[in-house]
Amino acid sequence: MIGETLAIAWKDLQLLFRDKGALAVLFLMPLILAPIMAAPTVTMREMQETTPDGEPAFNVEGYLVNQDSGAYGTQIATALQDLSMLDLVALDSVGEADEGVAAGDKPVAIVLPADFSRKIETNEPTNVLLIADPTQTHLVSFVTGIVNQAVAEVGILAELQYGIRAVLNQSGVLEGAGPELQQAAEAQTLGVIWTQVQEMRQNPLITVRSENVAGDESTETWDPFAFFVPGSAVMFAFFIMPFIASALLREKEQGSFRRLLASPMHRGAIIGGSILAYSIVVFLQVILLFTMGALAFDMPLGDSPLALIITTLFTALAATSLGLLLGALSKTSKQADNIGVIAGFVLMFLGGCVIPLYNAEGFVGILSKLTPHAHALQAYRGIMVDGLTLVQVLPSLGILVVFAAVYFGLAVWRFKFE
């Protein structure tokens, strides 16, 4: 029976590897998707890193076009150019900056309009133009946040100055005074208020400090690739479902099963061969993804290779058994393919491949834990991030085995070979 099972598995693998579309979905898409999902988080982590001198290690290049000759435009332009996390090249022409961004020389260009200072002084709304490369969205978001913060700081000063001027004018205190005396009074009042604001920022009334259960200040050790790569691995492992189900039903529709059953081959070898073939595919998916993550992005793999191998084995059994059950419940190969794709997306989100819903409280958390995805992810992330051993992830692995056994039992009970 073992030889028959291996023969069926080899046949299924040959059929699958002839399907270039299936290979792209199962192997190429995970390699593309995982880095894309992790990129914004990696950028945010790089933004928080500093050099030994305490300066930000992250740096974004761009253009700066200041068309405003007033005090506020000059102040913001100077502040932006002084930031170590921005490397801005000053240009005189918006068109030149636009061409540079379009050519891919710089990802962003910041443009201060000609009436920027005038509108701020008269308390009118104004805008700062940001020309951005649409392929560098994570960098654009970062620069947008910096510009908003810089503009907001100047906006606070402008609001204070406008308010002080209005109060002094309405009170009549400086009635008849010359422009120099009025400006001196406004500047002195603004200086006192702004000094108090800065003191409040440096010494806030309430501060927040994070500690772990041992009383030590907590440190951030989360690796985004150790989160997103296992998520992609589990997600695409279970996307094997429609391929298994539709392949089984196509063989039944084409009469292949009738010919196999007419031979001395055991029915268990037919089912076992399919499960073995697609389990091998899941293994290859995970190995490829984890190798890419470890080599290209220095992703941690934990301290227990055996735990990773066994987790992958049980994940593959659960995914292939669920695909077999889908084939047993579907009437046609087309129906199995459509239902499998829909089920794959629903289980992907519900199981925590994108957002760890299994950590949520209440009904959502309970619902997430009713999927095999949640327990596979808990095992993978526990091994890779928290350094858990095989013994420590046994509860999650045991639940995966239960899922696989239930799916397999129901599939064998409901599947009709003819």
Side-chain angles (χ1 to χ4, degrees):
M1 181 172 172
I2 295 177
E4 296 172 350
T5 301
L6 293 176
I8 293 293
W10 177 244
K11 180 263 299 180
D12 287 345
L13 286 174
Q14 286 181 310
L15 291 175
L16 179 63
F17 286 121
R18 289 175 186 171
D19 189 345
K20 293 183 175 58
L23 294 178
V25 171
L26 295 175
F27 292 99
L28 184 59
M29 283 186 64
L31 291 175
I32 296 174
L33 186 62
I36 290 176
M37 294 174 65
T41 308
V42 172
T43 301
M44 291 299 297
R45 187 179 62 177
E46 291 175 349
M47 293 174 190
Q48 298 172 356
E49 294 178 352
T50 58
T51 63
D53 299 330
E55 295 293 331
F58 188 77
N59 184 272
V60 179
E61 295 183 347
Y63 298 113
L64 176 64
V65 180
N66 182 15
Q67 297 179 311
D68 179 54
S69 58
Y72 290 112
T74 303
Q75 183 177 350
I76 289 183
T78 302
L80 292 174
Q81 288 179 312
D82 288 341
L83 289 174
S84 58
M85 61 186 67
L86 291 180
D87 184 9
L88 299 177
V89 176
L91 297 177
D92 297 326
S93 168
V94 178
E96 187 179 356
D98 193 11
E99 291 176 2
V101 173
D105 298 333
K106 309 286 183 186
V108 294
I110 304 168
V111 180
L112 302 177
D115 58 354
F116 185 73
S117 293
R118 181 187 64 78
K119 287 192 174 182
I120 290 178
E121 289 172 353
T122 56
N123 202 31
E124 297 179 41
T126 186
N127 295 302
V128 174
L129 176 63
L130 194 67
I131 303 172
D133 183 346
T135 64
Q136 303 284 341
T137 54
H138 57 292
L139 296 180
V140 172
S141 299
F142 170 65
V143 175
T144 301
I146 292 178
V147 174
N148 283 334
Q149 187 173 357
V151 172
E153 195 80 1
V154 173
I156 294 173
L157 279 170
E159 290 284 351
L160 287 173
Q161 189 168 9
Y162 184 81
I164 291 169
R165 186 182 301 120
V167 170
L168 292 176
N169 289 337
Q170 292 178 5
S171 65
V173 174
L174 297 177
E175 186 176 354
E180 294 81 5
L181 181 59
Q182 291 182 3
Q183 291 177 0
E186 291 175 7
Q188 183 178 15
T189 307
L190 178 62
V192 171
I193 295 175
W194 193 246
T195 300
Q196 292 177 345
V197 170
Q198 295 301 321
E199 288 179 358
M200 292 174 62
R201 287 178 172 176
Q202 295 176 4
N203 301 291
L205 183 62
I206 300 174
T207 58
V208 178
R209 184 167 64 94
S210 300
E211 292 183 355
N212 56 27
V213 292
D216 300 325
E217 290 199 23
S218 62
T219 56
E220 181 62 53
T221 59
W222 181 66
D223 189 306
F225 286 101
F227 179 87
F228 288 107
V229 171
S232 295
V234 172
M235 173 173 60
F236 283 95
F238 280 87
F239 267 115
I240 204 79
M241 294 187 303
F243 294 102
I244 299 175
S246 59
L248 287 173
L249 289 170
R250 275 197 303 271
E251 293 208 37
K252 186 165 69 171
E253 292 164 356
Q254 294 168 2
S256 300
F257 279 155
R258 286 196 298 271
R259 292 191 294 271
L260 289 173
L261 292 173
S263 67
M265 185 171 290
H266 193 276
R267 291 190 177 193
I270 300 174
I271 297 298
S274 295
I275 290 180
L276 176 60
Y278 289 100
S279 294
I280 292 173
V281 172
V282 173
F283 259 96
L284 293 176
Q285 284 180 305
V286 175
I287 290 172
L288 185 61
L289 267 174
F290 284 7
T291 301
M292 179 271 295
L295 296 180
F297 304 107
D298 198 24
M299 182 186 74
L301 295 177
D303 302 321
S304 179
L306 180 61
L308 282 177
I309 293 172
I310 295 179
T311 300
T312 304
L313 171 63
F314 290 168
T315 301
L317 290 176
T320 52
S321 297
L322 185 55
L324 184 62
L325 177 59
L326 177 63
L329 297 177
S330 301
K331 295 181 179 180
T332 65
S333 58
K334 184 65 175 177
Q335 183 187 55
D337 193 42
N338 293 335
I339 295 175
V341 171
I342 295 172
F345 279 107
V346 172
L347 292 173
M348 171 188 75
F349 286 105
L350 190 59
C353 295
V354 180
I355 302 172
L357 297 179
Y358 49 81
N359 289 330
E361 297 180 355
F363 178 74
V364 173
I366 295 173
L367 196 60
S368 179
K369 290 184 175 66
L370 293 177
T371 68
H373 299 57
H375 302 282
L377 287 171
Q378 284 181 311
Y380 275 129
R381 289 168 181 165
I383 296 166
M384 299 166 65
V385 178
D386 301 325
L388 299 185
T389 63
L390 176 61
V391 174
Q392 291 172 307
V393 297
L394 280 179
S396 296
L397 299 183
I399 296 174
L400 276 175
V401 172
V402 171
F403 273 115
V406 171
Y407 295 151
F408 181 78
L410 291 174
V412 172
W413 173 52
R414 290 297 305 268
F415 190 77
K416 298 179 181 178
F417 286 88
E418 298 179 359

